[in-house]
Amino acid sequence: LGPGCSWYCGGGPYKVTATSFLAPQAGNTYNPENAHDLDYGNAWVEGAKGDGIGEYLTYYFQPYSPRITHIYVVNGYVKTQAAWENNGRVKKLKMYVNDVPYAILCLEDSRSEQAFEFPPIGRGWPENGKADENAKDQTLKFEILEVYKGKKYSDVAISEIYFSGLDVHCFAKGSLV
């Protein structure tokens, strides 16, 4: 993603989980955190039998995390062209916000990053400046609905899902606040 400041200065999930993941092989791991390590050389690979339909990743955010307006998906195991072709990729992801269905992300069968823009997701910091001590974590869940088949393996991979949005930097009279 390169140097400099981003939404991650004040945001980002604190945990990523999955319904399953492939056991380590040949020195590679496939755990859910790989889908959010900002390293295109790693991937989450689901570990269920079949082609991964119904498997999902869940991202956990603090109650007052900055709001999300963009979601980026790097589909498949993009480490190499062969890894990308040999493993399955996601065709459709069902997105849930706090366990409520929110959108269907239709992904191209491409090694390129794919961007999705939304109205602000999340609550951000309260306007009155007072946090509710009973506020619950926010979650985004991404469930595999359809896949592009891999040439060699039925496992489905996602190299990255990451975010951008609002509420991280403010400017007042031309100065960073």
Side-chain angles (χ1 to χ4, degrees):
L1 296 176
C5 205
S6 74
W7 179 82
Y8 282 92
C9 290
Y14 69 87
K15 177 172 74 171
V16 182
T17 63
T19 47
S20 69
F21 57 94
L22 198 61
Q25 298 175 21
N28 295 309
T29 63
Y30 306 102
N31 57 36
E33 294 85 4
N34 288 356
H36 193 262
D37 63 1
L38 306 179
D39 182 346
Y40 289 14
N42 298 319
W44 166 64
V45 181
E46 54 79 25
K49 292 185 186 222
D51 56 11
I53 302 298
E55 296 299 295
Y56 58 85
L57 286 163
T58 304
Y59 291 74
Y60 295 82
F61 298 83
Q62 298 291 336
Y64 295 108
S65 288
R67 292 172 291 166
I68 295 167
T69 57
H70 292 80
I71 296 172
Y72 303 91
V73 180
V74 181
N75 195 15
Y77 195 0
V78 300
K79 182 178 186 176
T80 65
Q81 183 69 30
W84 185 80
E85 290 174 358
N86 287 335
N87 289 278
R89 287 121 9 235
V90 177
K91 187 172 189 177
K92 288 185 182 176
L93 275 177
K94 187 172 189 177
M95 182 176 132
Y96 299 79
V97 176
N98 299 323
D99 292 320
V100 176
Y102 186 80
I104 305 288
L105 307 182
C106 297
L107 297 162
E108 297 173 5
D109 198 15
S110 166
R111 285 179 70 196
S112 300
E113 167 189 288
Q114 298 175 55
F116 299 89
E117 185 173 358
F118 297 96
I121 298 169
R123 61 177 74 85
W125 193 253
E127 285 188 30
N128 67 7
K130 297 180 182 180
D132 176 358
E133 61 188 48
N134 296 316
K136 295 182 180 179
D137 286 348
Q138 301 175 83
T139 60
L140 290 181
K141 180 168 81 174
F142 299 89
E143 177 186 5
I144 300 170
L145 294 182
E146 287 184 47
V147 300
Y148 298 104
K149 302 276 186 187
K151 287 183 177 179
K152 191 172 182 181
Y153 307 111
S154 63
D155 303 310
V156 173
I158 296 175
S159 288
E160 290 296 322
I161 297 178
Y162 59 95
F163 312 94
S164 187
L166 306 170
D167 307 324
V168 176
H169 298 104
C170 301
F171 291 90
K173 297 182 182 179
S175 300
L176 186 60
V177 179

